[in-house]
Amino acid sequence: MKRLALVSLVLLVAILVAGCQGASSAKTIRIGLIAPLTGSESLFGQGYKRGVELAVKDINAKGGVLGKTVELFVEDDQNDPNQSVNAVQKLVNQNKVVGIVGAFSSKCSIPAHEQACALGVPIISPTSTNPKVTVDEKGNHKWCAFRATFIDPFQGQVAAKFAYNDLGIRKAAVFWDNGNDYSKGLAEYFINNFEALGGLILVKEAYSAGDQDFSAQITRAMQSGVELIYLPDYFAKVNLIAGQARTLGYKGKFMGGDGWDNPGIDKTILNGSYYTAHYAPEDPEAAELVAKWKAEYNGEVPTGDGALAYDAAIILLNAIERAGTTDGKKVAEAMLQTKDLRVGTAVVSINEQGNAVKPVYFLQVTLEGPKYVTKVSP
Amino acid sequence: MGASPASWKEAVVIQQIVNALMLGSVYALIALGYTIVYGIIRFINFAHGDIFMVSAYIVFAAVSYWKLGFFGALVAAVVGAVILGVTIEKVAYRPLRKAPKISLLITAIGVSLFLENFVALPLVMGSMPKVVPSFIPIISYTVGGVRFTSAQVIIFGLAVVLMALLGWFIRNTKLGRAMRAVSTDYMAVPLMGLSVDSIISSAFAIGSGLAAVGGLLYVIVYPMVDPFMGIMIGTKAFISAVVGGIGNIYGAVAGAYLIALLEVLVVAAGYSTWRDAVAFGLLIVVLLLKPSGLFGKFQKEKV
């Protein structure tokens, strides 16, 4: 009994101390970032970190938010949904953040956003495109969940139209990662739209994240005479599948989504392939952000993930400013009313489902890097 | 595609079998490493899949950093893997030779985790997958509607030649005979004036060398390396060895081609999400019906 009392006392003191810390540091506006800083998607995570850091720097240079300096707390989730949920808990309970930017992939963002709503803190994902990130099963907006970009139904529709009308493709194959909501969702929307246009999807194959051999699927696709293989996955897997397809003698085209938008994409194997993305560096609308980024990061051009993370942080901080408080509900309401806000890549508004209304950009892989082709507005 | 539907279908099946032969060749080269070591000291070297992974990284380095061609990469990978395999045996396993088998097994898992996470360190190779540039020209031939590429011919040819060589080596050379002797009666070998240590070292050397060739062939067809690539391939190779009857080199090869064929056919039939379930399911069925593996009773072929 004595021991129990002692433990309770220690806990009580700990809680009091922690409480005091939280109170005393309310001199700053604390926001969190959840990104895959290590692991196989770490290149995306590094882009996220740079984007949010740049946004925080910009806002602080202009006097911060609600007259206070913005302070950033970063958590690594290794693109693992369990770790994303833990990261939300840690950021909210320990770091006392009032808003979160994250997570990267939809499979992480869906549970992370649910956790954030449960803890009463608004959260915005820069590039998770699966609809379920911001809406529940019935299609109603989860009050705290937002994203800085378009959703996959739109991306899949625009991609299918481009393949059918602009590339003249009639027969295609689609391979996707069954364990990733992003890959699965985008594949589904591409297939539905392409078939609705009158095209044929002759091979539809799911794989699991650990698969390394795709020869059997590729052979089936080749034998059925497809002209295009649509690969809605991240660049590392895309490089592997496309490389195998070329080795097996596939001569047709490849096409993909925003998961390709990374310097890690294999420019030799995928040279000439088109993909949809969140932004294009050559788009005049993004010129100011590109210039700022170059000045900050040794002349580098922002990656799609980095640019969108910048946008997401700006949307969140702007909403806190307009709400006039850090109360989660009020900030989320303000965020939902975001209208014609100038962010890094465009001027955006947030619609009733918590999504940014913004165009899909078409880029082409070339040996010199991504080339801007066109953009399609909703 | 001018061929009639019937022959066209046949061509698809043959094409898929060609794919299975490639995958099976990689599994077989790695499975041999498990089976040789098991045959001699009754120990499953769980770090073997990671020796394969390190060899694939050596090939990657040889091709992208040192600009070596096929033979340069082959020599670098084999030499690197042999040194690694023998060193692991010397440093981690030899001191435990007389310890209970379970200690050895846990050490092997430790070595495996060490290799994976060492390679994944940012200062070593990092955890990002890396693309291996193509280093052999890919020419394709069409025979009766079935496409072959030079890569497939090299992979299958090299694997078969090496496996035949290994079989000959075990049967006809002095060292091969010594290995069989250790396998049959561990205690009697020193009485014949042979060094058990050097025989075990050479088993690790041969196994690692074969894994290195497997790594090289692997990156020709699957041009990507990552620190954890050895786990799944290693597991598949290991179950190939068990299905074939661990300790038996012909069994390991047969098991490898069997597993690969099954996997490719499952995917070809349109059930790609079932591929691992079917591969491991086969293992369970074989273990239930014939625990010694398909070729397990050929004791005299044990290495």
Side-chain angles (χ1 to χ4, degrees), chain A residues 158-172 190 194 197-200 225-229 252-255 274 362:
Chain A
V158 172
K161 272 191 188 153
F162 185 82
Y164 192 87
N165 297 331
D166 298 64
L167 301 179
I169 304 293
R170 293 296 175 269
K171 291 185 275 183
F190 180 85
F194 192 76
L197 289 166
L200 295 171
V226 301
E227 307 148 311
L228 176 110
I229 301 179
K253 291 182 161 67
F254 295 105
M255 207 173 132
Y274 294 94
F362 276 94

Side-chain angles (χ1 to χ4, degrees), chain B residues 19-280:
Chain B
N19 293 335
L21 288 178
M22 283 202 307
L23 186 63
S25 301
V26 175
Y27 286 170
L29 287 170
I30 305 165
L32 284 171
Y34 281 105
T35 224
I36 291 172
V37 168
Y38 183 87
I40 291 184
I41 51 173
R42 298 285 180 276
F43 154 64
I44 295 154
N45 180 15
F46 273 115
H48 191 60
D50 300 293
I51 293 177
F52 158 81
M53 176 272 292
V54 172
S55 340
Y57 267 97
I58 296 175
V59 174
F60 164 74
V63 175
S64 12
Y65 303 153
W66 315 325
K67 308 281 172 215
L68 299 177
F70 178 80
F71 289 103
L74 178 66
V75 171
V78 170
V79 170
V82 167
I83 292 173
L84 181 67
V86 171
T87 311
I88 290 172
E89 195 273 324
K90 218 165 219 164
V91 175
Y93 304 152
R94 191 169 296 178
L96 294 169
R97 186 79 47 79
K98 301 226 158 52
K101 280 275 139 68
I102 194 81
S103 315
L104 207 54
L105 210 62
I106 292 166
T107 308
I109 294 169
V111 170
S112 163
L113 290 172
F114 168 77
L115 288 176
E116 284 156 19
N117 290 289
F118 179 77
V119 172
L121 286 177
L123 286 176
V124 185
M125 298 307 296
S127 54
M128 278 295 302
K130 292 199 183 328
V131 173
V132 183
S134 102
F135 54 98
I136 58 160
I138 304 216
I139 310 155
S140 57
Y141 325 93
T142 310
V143 183
V146 181
R147 283 179 50 96
F148 295 92
T149 61
S150 48
Q152 289 169 322
V153 175
I154 290 175
I155 289 170
F156 188 62
L158 198 54
V160 168
V161 166
L162 281 175
M163 290 182 280
L165 261 178
L166 181 70
W168 173 85
F169 174 84
I170 298 290
R171 262 182 325 230
N172 300 318
T173 63
K174 213 170 171 183
L175 185 58
R177 213 174 307 140
M179 285 178 163
R180 280 186 293 153
V182 176
S183 160
T184 319
D185 194 338
Y186 185 93
M187 303 304 276
V189 170
L191 303 176
M192 304 293 129
L194 291 169
S195 151
V196 174
D197 279 348
S198 65
I199 294 168
I200 292 175
S201 283
S202 39
F204 274 88
I206 293 171
S208 305
L210 291 171
V213 179
L216 176 92
L217 300 183
Y218 181 86
V219 295
I220 293 177
V221 211
Y222 316 110
M224 193 170 82
V225 290
D226 82 273
F228 305 98
M229 67 191 279
I231 301 174
M232 202 37 146
I233 303 281
T235 314
K236 292 276 176 65
F238 169 62
I239 66 169
S240 303
V242 174
V243 163
I246 193 153
N248 178 317
I249 60 168
Y250 304 108
V253 172
Y257 284 111
L258 184 64
I259 298 258
L261 188 66
L262 208 60
E263 276 191 40
V264 166
L265 292 183
V266 166
V267 179
Y271 300 99
S272 49
T273 42
W274 282 84
R275 81 185 293 165
D276 293 345
V278 169
F280 293 108

Side-chain angles (χ1 to χ4, degrees), chain A residues 223 274 357:
Chain A
Q223 297 289 355
Y274 294 94
V357 180

Side-chain angles (χ1 to χ4, degrees), chain A residues 39-40 42-43 178 205-206 211-213 215-217 219-220 223 235-236 239-240 243-244 247-249 266, chain B residues 1 8 12 15-16 19 23 127-128 131 138 147 149 152 218 221-222 224 229 233 264 267-268 270 272-273 275:
Chain A
S40 59
S42 58
L43 279 185
N178 215 25
E205 280 295 345
D211 283 1
Q212 286 160 319
D213 170 62
S215 54
Q217 294 97 313
T219 299
R220 274 187 64 203
Q223 297 289 355
F235 65 91
N239 289 343
L240 182 63
Q244 273 180 59
T247 310
L248 289 168
D266 191 318
Chain B
M1 254 177 276
W8 181 82
V12 177
Q15 188 78 63
Q16 296 290 17
N19 293 335
L23 186 63
S127 54
M128 278 295 302
V131 173
I138 304 216
R147 283 179 50 96
T149 61
Q152 289 169 322
Y218 181 86
V221 211
Y222 316 110
M224 193 170 82
M229 67 191 279
I233 303 281
V264 166
V267 179
S272 49
T273 42
R275 81 185 293 165

Side-chain angles (χ1 to χ4, degrees), chain A residues 113-197:
Chain A
H113 282 215
E114 260 153 33
Q115 183 65 47
C117 289
L119 295 174
V121 170
I123 180 165
I124 177 165
S125 169
T127 58
S128 291
T129 44
N130 191 294
K132 280 182 261 165
V133 171
T134 60
V135 296
D136 62 21
E137 293 299 327
K138 291 188 204 100
N140 298 320
H141 180 230
K142 299 178 200 163
W143 71 272
C144 81
F146 299 88
R147 86 182 92 217
T149 193
F150 48 73
I151 50 174
D152 287 332
F154 179 50
Q155 180 173 205
Q157 180 197 13
V158 172
K161 272 191 188 153
F162 185 82
Y164 192 87
N165 297 331
D166 298 64
L167 301 179
I169 304 293
R170 293 296 175 269
K171 291 185 275 183
V174 181
F175 302 154
W176 69 90
D177 177 353
N178 215 25
N180 187 339
D181 298 304
Y182 156 67
S183 184
K184 220 163 113 182
L186 187 51
E188 185 190 323
Y189 300 118
F190 180 85
I191 291 172
N192 292 347
N193 283 289
F194 192 76
E195 287 178 341
L197 289 166

